[in-house]
Amino acid sequence: MTTGDPARFPVVALVASAGGLDALTGVLAPLPADLPAAVLVAQHLDPFRTSHLTSILAERTALRVADAADGDELEPGVALVVPPARHLLLTPESRVALVDVGALPPARPSADLLLATLAVTCGPRALAVVLTGKGTDAQAGIRAVARCGGTVFAQDEVTSAHFGMPGAAIDTGLVGSVLPLPDIAGAILGHVRAAHRAFSPLGGGYPE
C-alpha cells in the first residue's frame, strides 16, 4: 500500500442541497488541516451555471479544498467537491470517477450515486453526513452505507434550512446520530480519529 491508500483512513461524504453552503461551512470550518480522513462534498448545483462553491469553501476551512477531477486519489486532509453537471462515483480502486449528468434528474450531483459507491468501496470506513436540503436524495445511498458497515449522521430539523434530505435519511432508521449543525464537526472529528486508529495497520483493527 502507498501512503495515500484509502484503506488506511476513513472517508467522509458531506451531501446537501438547499441551504447547503451555510451548512457545509459550519461543518468544514472547524475541521483541522491534519484531519485523518478524506472528504467528499456533494451539493446539488445548477448544471448550467458556473459554481464558486469550491473557492468559497477553501476560504473557510483549514482543509485543502479542490474540485474533484476524474482519476483523483483520495487523500486525508483534502476535501474534493463534485463539480456541476457531473456525478461522482468511487471506483473499486478508490479513485474518483466523474460521469456526465443526464438531461433529467436525479438530483445533480446525486448523493445516492456517490454514497452507494462509497459504501461498496469503503465499507466500515465510510461516514455519510446528510445536511440540509429539499427532497429525498441520499436516502437510498445511506441504506447502502449502513448495509456495508458504514456510519450515518444527519443534521437535525431545528438547524436545517430545509429538512427534506435529513428527514428522509432519519426515516430509514439507519442514522446513527442526529445532530445540530454546530455539533457535527466535533462528531466527525471524534469518529474519524477513532476509525483511523482502528483501521490503521498499526492499530490492529483493519478489516481484511
Side-chain angles (χ1 to χ4, degrees):
M1 294 183 186
T2 64
T3 302
D5 194 317
R8 297 193 178 192
F9 51 81
V11 181
V12 180
L14 306 178
V15 298
S17 185
L21 178 58
D22 287 343
L24 290 167
T25 296
V27 172
L28 292 171
L31 296 178
D34 62 350
L35 184 76
V39 179
L40 298 169
V41 177
Q43 180 179 355
H44 296 162
L45 298 168
D46 185 337
F48 304 108
R49 297 182 62 180
T50 299
S51 171
H52 300 286
L53 180 62
T54 300
S55 60
I56 292 171
L57 294 178
E59 295 176 350
R60 299 181 180 183
T61 179
L63 297 172
R64 183 160 68 86
V65 182
D67 287 322
D70 201 56
D72 276 349
E73 278 191 80
L74 304 184
E75 298 179 52
V78 177
L80 297 177
V81 179
V82 188
R86 312 299 293 277
H87 296 306
L88 187 150
L89 313 178
L90 287 181
T91 71
E93 296 77 29
S94 295
R95 286 181 176 271
V96 167
L98 295 179
V99 296
D100 292 337
V101 303
L104 299 173
R108 299 170 282 188
S110 169
D112 280 329
L113 291 175
L114 167 58
L115 295 179
T117 58
L118 172 72
V120 297
T121 302
C122 297
R125 293 178 289 104
L127 171 60
V129 183
V130 184
L131 301 171
T132 178
K134 298 179 180 180
T136 62
D137 191 26
Q139 190 179 63
I142 67 163
R143 292 183 191 276
V145 170
R147 178 65 178 82
C148 294
T151 302
V152 182
F153 294 164
Q155 187 175 353
D156 72 359
E157 185 170 8
V158 173
T159 63
S160 293
H162 301 277
F163 196 55
M165 284 175 58
I170 294 164
D171 285 346
T172 66
L174 299 172
V175 173
S177 297
V178 178
L179 300 162
L181 181 62
D183 294 349
I184 294 177
I188 290 173
L189 186 56
H191 177 87
V192 300
R193 282 177 171 167
H196 179 71
R197 289 192 297 269
F199 299 146
S200 166
L202 296 178
Y206 177 67
E208 295 294 337

